[in-house]
Amino acid sequence: MTNYELLEKQVTELLNTEPFYVSSMSNISSLIMEALPDLNWAGFYIFRNSCLTVGPFQGKPACIHIEVGKGVCGTAFHDDRTIVVEDVHTFPGHIACDSASNSEIVIPIHSDGKPVAVLDIDSPLLNRFSEEDRLGLEKVASVTEKMIKW
């Protein structure tokens, strides 16, 4: 079981040390990969030039661009809501950046009340992400939103 309270404190301390978004997102991705078992990808897509562009991450090489409204990341960004997918193969329009991914959670990241990025986490297991994971990762995203400097 993941200690989300500890993860939130670690993210807060990292952001106190250096709030620059590239450095912060790099370390947050690494923390998530270390803290949560059974992951194969954890990172960020940042909105720029009218699409989501891969940002700092941990895992295999990823899709570079994702259109808003496409796939899990683009849909979560467009709808401005967290999406938990038990089986990515059943998600309409899923974009398979890593064929090993079977489940996914995507959480929008905001600046000035508008989505500017998403936190994307994939697992090779089906139904990997619980309600506890959603709530804990949304808290991590909230700390990130409040403290990160664009």
Side-chain angles (χ1 to χ4, degrees), residues 122-144:
D122 295 1
S123 173
L125 303 180
L126 292 169
N127 199 23
R128 162 62 186 84
F129 302 102
S130 66
E131 181 68 4
E132 178 187 0
D133 293 315
R134 182 186 67 77
L135 294 171
L137 291 166
E138 285 179 339
K139 286 181 181 177
V140 167
S142 178
V143 168
T144 302

Side-chain angles (χ1 to χ4, degrees), residues 18-85:
E18 178 53 68
F20 177 58
Y21 76 97
V22 173
S23 305
S24 300
M25 289 177 166
S26 296
N27 277 327
I28 292 167
S29 299
S30 181
L31 276 174
I32 289 170
M33 282 296 279
E34 292 296 317
L36 277 71
D38 302 315
L39 301 183
N40 60 313
W41 204 91
F44 294 87
Y45 278 90
I46 301 164
F47 184 69
R48 86 185 257 278
N49 297 330
S50 301
C51 71
L52 293 170
T53 302
V54 71
F57 70 91
Q58 299 281 309
K60 292 182 181 180
C63 300
I64 295 173
H65 298 111
I66 298 176
E67 291 180 47
V68 172
K70 304 289 184 185
V72 182
C73 288
T75 301
F77 184 87
H78 178 270
D79 295 353
D80 194 13
R81 67 181 175 92
T82 298
I83 297 179
V84 178
V85 182

